[in-house]
Structure formats: structure tokens, C-alpha cells
Amino acid sequence: MHTHTVNIQGDPGSHLLLEVDFKWLMAGQGYTVDPDRLLHDPAYADTCLQCAQRSSCIALQECALNLREVLAQAIH
């Protein structure tokens, strides 16, 4: 199954869906993600995102790329 989460700029709900998708896709690969830490610890987030991008799951790779963009915008 191939899923896509649409990230709509200015819509915080789309960010939440992206985070939830990421958490569940990571769980499907056997990894546990702490959502609070993901949002507040840049080193932890980077580690999780790198792990996701090395995955063979295309949906997870795409989700990680989108989430990386959202997190980068949140820092600025």
C-alpha cells in the first residue's frame, strides 16, 4: 500500500498527520518514535529521519523527507 500525506502550509493539522504517519510507518519497520522528542530534540529527529531514509519502505522515505522540511521550517 502506498500512502501520501499532503502537507498544507499554514495548516497545523497537516503537520500532525505527517507526524502520525511517520510514527506508524517507523513502527511498521520495527522502530519506536517518541513524538515529543521528535519535535523538540533536533539530534534525535535527525537520527530518526536518517534511519527512515535508509529504509526500503518508499512511503517511509517520502514521509521522512516531508517531515524533515516541516521540522526545518519550525526551527526558523
Side-chain angles (χ1 to χ4, degrees):
M1 179 158 117
H2 203 88
T3 62
H4 294 281
T5 300
V6 176
N7 181 35
I8 302 168
Q9 277 191 307
D11 180 5
S14 69
H15 295 165
L16 178 60
L17 289 174
L18 183 59
E19 293 164 25
V20 170
D21 281 353
F22 182 76
K23 179 183 173 192
W24 283 106
L25 287 165
M26 286 288 281
Q29 299 297 307
Y31 298 101
T32 302
V33 175
D34 179 338
D36 190 54
R37 193 169 172 204
L38 183 70
L39 297 177
H40 297 102
D41 181 345
Y44 175 77
D46 189 55
T47 298
C48 290
L49 293 167
Q50 285 181 26
C51 179
Q53 290 175 316
R54 287 190 303 267
S55 167
S56 61
C57 176
I58 301 299
L60 178 55
Q61 292 172 9
E62 291 174 0
C63 187
L65 287 173
N66 290 330
L67 186 56
R68 186 176 294 280
E69 276 184 35
V70 167
L71 294 175
Q73 290 173 3
I75 292 172
H76 291 62

